[in-house]
Amino acid sequence: MMTQLQNFVESQNLPREDLDTASNNPSPENASTRREPIKHLLIGSPKTVSSTIHYLQVIGYASIGDWSPLLPTTNPGEVMSILVRQILMP
């Protein structure tokens, strides 16, 4: 399971130049902030993971298309999905 997870998480990183631009050229009002990735991982039955993804869209947190496809884990009947967001950090 960790190999699939690590491969997916590594593939979701922003291009280095995007991170450099965000940290080296902050706007004057945000001179002390920077963007950092936060990774959300859902693990459970396909129904539970899908339901949670849909709920997070309903409450406006993340669109369904922002999540990875459901990926099987090493446990029978269990899947995972990953969401990577960039958040502003002071």
Side-chain angles (χ1 to χ4, degrees):
M1 180 176 108
M2 285 309 294
T3 302
Q4 285 180 327
L5 174 59
Q6 288 169 335
N7 288 340
F8 179 81
V9 169
E10 290 172 6
S11 74
Q12 294 302 303
N13 289 332
L14 288 177
R16 185 72 210 161
E17 61 271 15
D18 288 351
L19 295 175
D20 290 341
T21 301
S23 62
N24 290 336
N25 299 319
S27 60
E29 65 274 0
N30 294 331
S32 64
T33 61
R34 60 192 155 89
R35 293 170 60 84
E36 289 189 17
I38 183 76
K39 298 169 179 102
H40 304 280
L41 177 61
L42 298 176
I43 300 174
S45 71
K47 182 178 180 179
T48 302
V49 171
S50 294
S51 176
T52 302
I53 290 170
H54 283 87
Y55 175 72
L56 291 171
Q57 177 171 304
V58 167
I59 64 170
Y61 185 74
S63 297
I64 293 170
D66 294 343
W67 290 87
S68 73
L70 299 183
L71 304 168
T73 70
T74 56
N75 298 323
E78 186 178 76
V79 297
M80 64 182 170
S81 185
I82 304 166
L83 168 69
V84 181
R85 300 297 279 298
Q86 295 292 322
I87 61 170
L88 289 176
M89 296 297 297

